[in-house]
Amino acid sequence: MKDIQRILEINLALYKQYNITMPNLEEFVFGFKWAMALDNNKNISFALRIGKEKPINEYEAIIKNLLGKPLDQCVSELLIMEDETVRTLLVVLSSLMSKSLNSVELLKDRGIERSEGLNFRYDVKDMKVGLIGYGVYLKFFLNKCKEFHAFDLTPEKQILSYHISKNNTEVYPKNIYFHLGDDALNHKDVLENLDIIIMTGSTLVNNSYLDILNTCKNAKIKGIYGPSSELSPDYLFEAGYNYIFSMSAKDSKQYLDCSFAPIPDFNTFELMNLYELKKIN
């Protein structure tokens, strides 16, 4: 996994540059939706469980062997395995390792501007926009751009509503070109003509992000969003993105308590500090 190796190299160099002590892995959680890792500084990172996985019992020995070790060592040991089913672990641990490097001050020192919240201050009028991972950016795109294409692996029945009357059938939501239950890369003809592409960080987990990015060759704004995209802003800008939206938990214990509830029903954004990143030089 050359991309994770590159991320490790970048992060290690930055730890050395800023003379930061490497945190240790303290806890790991396979949640109902997210894989989560915590370090000895009580930071928590996330990766959506969308990649190839082993049965949980097969991960136990692997993770127990990593607990208490420095994060760079954890990543290195997993990389040696050359196993696609540990990619989710690699993404979440790379994100955790990057936490110490993503302060406003350190990002600014590297020519990256961090602004709080989700604001997406870009003009989308007359633009063909693609959103991979339906949901978050609706208020910025719906009825505001020339064409709005939504791609999601979720099947139609979990997103679309069909209003059937005697003389007509209406499909909702309206004014969106949906591509559902399918890999976005099966719609290259659409991707190639987009002016803006914003993709979920889960594409980092299933390792489709670079293929999608390269297919969207005409896009002027190339963005990635979600907690998984914390793993290395420096790498993501190097790869070709020019917009990042990410988030970090306000309180790791509070987030875990909500995740472990009998019915895990909570608004993720309410428990997160949201921020956007862009390269300024």
Side-chain angles (χ1 to χ4, degrees), residues 51-106:
K52 295 180 180 178
E53 290 190 2
K54 308 174 186 289
I56 296 299
N57 65 315
E58 294 184 27
Y59 285 112
E60 287 187 63
I62 296 172
I63 292 170
K64 286 179 179 179
N65 182 56
L66 297 177
L67 292 174
K69 293 181 179 179
L71 292 175
D72 59 327
Q73 184 177 339
C74 295
V75 173
S76 295
E77 290 185 15
L78 291 174
L79 281 170
I80 290 171
M81 295 175 65
E82 296 184 345
D83 182 350
E84 285 185 63
T85 65
V86 299
R87 185 173 176 88
T88 302
L89 278 65
L90 283 164
V91 171
V92 76
L93 291 175
S94 297
S95 295
L96 190 58
M97 185 175 168
S98 186
K99 289 280 186 181
S100 301
L101 306 169
N102 290 344
S103 67
V104 173
E105 296 76 18
L106 294 186

Side-chain angles (χ1 to χ4, degrees), residues 153-170:
L153 294 174
T154 304
E156 289 186 2
K157 66 181 181 179
Q158 293 183 29
I159 291 181
L160 301 184
S161 296
Y162 296 84
H163 183 195
I164 302 171
S165 58
K166 190 168 184 178
N167 299 316
N168 194 24
T169 297
E170 298 279 346

Side-chain angles (χ1 to χ4, degrees), residues 176-229:
I176 303 175
Y177 297 92
F178 281 103
H179 313 276
L180 302 175
D182 197 9
D183 189 332
L185 287 166
N186 290 330
H187 305 278
K188 290 184 177 181
D189 57 324
V190 177
L191 296 174
E192 289 171 351
N193 290 295
L194 295 175
D195 300 301
I196 299 174
I197 180 67
I198 305 293
M199 67 186 80
T200 168
S202 64
T203 57
L204 294 162
V205 181
N206 66 19
N207 204 19
S208 62
Y209 70 108
L210 289 179
D211 287 336
I212 296 171
L213 190 65
N214 292 331
T215 302
C216 298
K217 53 190 176 184
N218 292 316
K220 301 172 184 65
I221 299 171
K222 300 176 181 180
I224 191 163
Y225 75 91
S228 303
S229 59

Side-chain angles (χ1 to χ4, degrees), residues 56 74 100 116 122 129 134 197 207 223 237 265 269 278 280:
I56 296 299
C74 295
S100 301
E116 302 309 307
Y122 297 91
V129 177
Y134 179 67
I197 180 67
N207 204 19
F237 286 126
D265 182 20
F269 279 17
K278 68 177 182 179
I280 52 178

Side-chain angles (χ1 to χ4, degrees), residues 114-118 245-248 268-269 272-276:
R114 172 171 169 159
S115 57
E116 302 309 307
L118 173 58
F245 165 55
S246 196
M247 59 199 75
S248 57
T268 299
F269 279 17
M272 297 284 192
N273 292 313
L274 313 180
Y275 63 90
E276 294 174 312

